[in-house]
Amino acid sequence: FAWLLRWMVCALQCRSVVMGYQSLPSFHFKDMLRPGMLAGLLYSIGNLSGIVSIQKLGNFMGYSLNQSSMIVSGLWGIFYYKEIPGFKNILGFISSSVIVFVGILLMGRDHQA
Protein backbone atom coordinates (compact mmCIF):
# COMPACT_ATOMS: atom_id res chain seq x y z
CA PHE A 1 0.00 0.00 0.00
CA ALA A 2 2.79 2.41 0.87
CA TRP A 3 4.50 1.78 -2.49
CA LEU A 4 1.26 2.48 -4.36
CA LEU A 5 0.69 5.67 -2.40
CA ARG A 6 4.24 6.84 -3.05
CA TRP A 7 3.87 6.06 -6.77
CA MET A 8 0.66 8.08 -6.93
CA VAL A 9 2.30 11.08 -5.25
CA CYS A 10 5.31 10.89 -7.58
CA ALA A 11 3.01 10.56 -10.61
CA LEU A 12 1.06 13.63 -9.52
CA GLN A 13 4.24 15.64 -8.94
CA CYS A 14 5.75 14.62 -12.29
CA ARG A 15 2.36 14.81 -14.04
CA SER A 16 3.21 11.49 -15.71
CA VAL A 17 2.48 7.91 -14.66
CA VAL A 18 5.65 6.58 -16.33
CA MET A 19 7.90 9.27 -14.85
CA GLY A 20 6.35 8.67 -11.43
CA TYR A 21 7.16 4.95 -11.70
CA GLN A 22 10.71 5.62 -12.88
CA SER A 23 11.38 7.96 -9.94
CA LEU A 24 10.68 5.19 -7.40
CA PRO A 25 13.52 3.10 -5.96
CA SER A 26 14.08 -0.40 -7.31
CA PHE A 27 12.47 -3.43 -5.68
CA HIS A 28 15.83 -5.31 -5.74
CA PHE A 29 14.20 -8.59 -6.78
CA LYS A 30 17.55 -10.33 -7.35
CA ASP A 31 18.81 -9.47 -3.87
CA MET A 32 15.57 -10.06 -1.99
CA LEU A 33 14.28 -13.23 -3.67
CA ARG A 34 15.97 -15.77 -1.36
CA PRO A 35 15.40 -13.93 1.95
CA GLY A 36 11.81 -13.19 0.94
CA MET A 37 11.11 -16.80 -0.02
CA LEU A 38 12.69 -18.04 3.21
CA ALA A 39 10.66 -15.60 5.30
CA GLY A 40 7.46 -16.65 3.51
CA LEU A 41 8.28 -20.33 3.99
CA LEU A 42 8.94 -19.88 7.72
CA TYR A 43 5.76 -17.83 8.10
CA SER A 44 3.74 -20.54 6.34
CA ILE A 45 5.27 -23.30 8.47
CA GLY A 46 4.43 -21.31 11.59
CA ASN A 47 0.82 -20.81 10.49
CA LEU A 48 0.44 -24.49 9.61
CA SER A 49 1.94 -25.51 12.95
CA GLY A 50 -0.47 -23.18 14.72
CA ILE A 51 -3.45 -24.75 12.99
CA VAL A 52 -2.23 -28.27 13.81
CA SER A 53 -1.59 -27.35 17.46
CA ILE A 54 -5.11 -25.95 17.83
CA GLN A 55 -6.56 -29.11 16.27
CA LYS A 56 -4.53 -31.42 18.51
CA LEU A 57 -4.67 -29.46 21.78
CA GLY A 58 -7.97 -27.65 21.40
CA ASN A 59 -8.72 -23.94 21.21
CA PHE A 60 -7.96 -23.28 24.86
CA MET A 61 -4.40 -24.61 24.92
CA GLY A 62 -3.36 -24.42 21.26
CA TYR A 63 -4.28 -20.77 20.79
CA SER A 64 -2.51 -19.81 24.01
CA LEU A 65 0.67 -21.52 22.87
CA ASN A 66 0.45 -19.79 19.49
CA GLN A 67 0.13 -16.41 21.15
CA SER A 68 3.14 -17.10 23.37
CA SER A 69 5.28 -16.51 20.27
CA MET A 70 4.99 -12.81 21.12
CA ILE A 71 7.15 -13.51 24.16
CA VAL A 72 9.88 -14.91 21.91
CA SER A 73 9.58 -11.88 19.62
CA GLY A 74 9.81 -9.56 22.61
CA LEU A 75 12.94 -11.29 23.85
CA TRP A 76 14.53 -10.86 20.41
CA GLY A 77 13.60 -7.20 20.60
CA ILE A 78 15.19 -6.81 24.02
CA PHE A 79 18.41 -8.76 23.67
CA TYR A 80 19.26 -8.59 19.97
CA TYR A 81 17.68 -5.40 18.63
CA LYS A 82 17.87 -3.40 21.91
CA GLU A 83 14.35 -2.01 21.31
CA ILE A 84 13.29 -1.65 24.94
CA PRO A 85 15.48 0.82 26.84
CA GLY A 86 15.86 0.89 30.59
CA PHE A 87 16.05 -1.83 33.21
CA LYS A 88 12.62 -1.00 34.61
CA ASN A 89 10.92 -1.50 31.22
CA ILE A 90 12.77 -4.77 30.60
CA LEU A 91 11.86 -6.01 34.06
CA GLY A 92 8.21 -5.14 33.41
CA PHE A 93 8.21 -7.07 30.15
CA ILE A 94 9.90 -10.11 31.68
CA SER A 95 7.60 -10.18 34.71
CA SER A 96 4.54 -9.90 32.44
CA SER A 97 5.93 -12.71 30.29
CA VAL A 98 6.43 -14.91 33.35
CA ILE A 99 2.80 -14.32 34.38
CA VAL A 100 1.59 -15.25 30.88
CA PHE A 101 3.83 -18.33 30.77
CA VAL A 102 2.64 -19.50 34.19
CA GLY A 103 -0.95 -19.07 32.98
CA ILE A 104 -0.21 -21.21 29.92
CA LEU A 105 1.34 -23.90 32.12
CA LEU A 106 -1.67 -23.88 34.46
CA MET A 107 -4.04 -24.18 31.50
CA GLY A 108 -1.99 -27.11 30.22
CA ARG A 109 -2.22 -28.78 33.61
CA ASP A 110 -5.99 -28.25 33.63
CA HIS A 111 -6.22 -29.56 30.05
CA GLN A 112 -4.61 -32.89 31.01
CA ALA A 113 -6.88 -33.44 34.02
Side-chain angles (χ1 to χ4, degrees):
F1 177 75
W3 184 89
L4 183 62
L5 184 63
R6 186 171 175 186
W7 170 71
M8 288 176 12
V9 168
C10 288
L12 288 173
Q13 287 175 346
C14 297
R15 298 192 192 281
S16 168
V17 173
V18 175
M19 295 271 301
Y21 179 78
Q22 290 173 347
S23 67
L24 293 174
S26 172
F27 277 121
H28 300 282
F29 282 116
K30 280 176 107 175
D31 298 329
M32 296 308 297
L33 183 65
R34 280 193 181 147
M37 294 290 279
L38 180 62
L41 178 68
L42 290 175
Y43 183 78
S44 297
I45 290 171
N47 278 335
L48 182 65
S49 299
I51 291 169
V52 170
S53 71
I54 290 173
Q55 287 178 343
K56 297 291 183 188
L57 300 173
N59 285 337
F60 195 61
M61 189 64 187
Y63 188 72
S64 299
L65 284 174
N66 287 336
Q67 292 303 310
S68 68
S69 65
M70 287 188 282
I71 295 173
V72 175
S73 298
L75 292 174
W76 271 100
I78 289 172
F79 296 114
Y80 186 76
Y81 294 108
K82 310 289 188 213
E83 292 177 332
I84 300 178
F87 180 75
K88 188 176 180 180
N89 295 332
I90 293 172
L91 188 63
F93 176 83
I94 291 176
S95 61
S96 299
S97 298
V98 167
I99 291 170
V100 168
F101 193 68
V102 167
I104 291 171
L105 290 176
L106 290 175
M107 285 191 299
R109 186 171 157 238
D110 187 48
H111 177 73
Q112 292 174 354

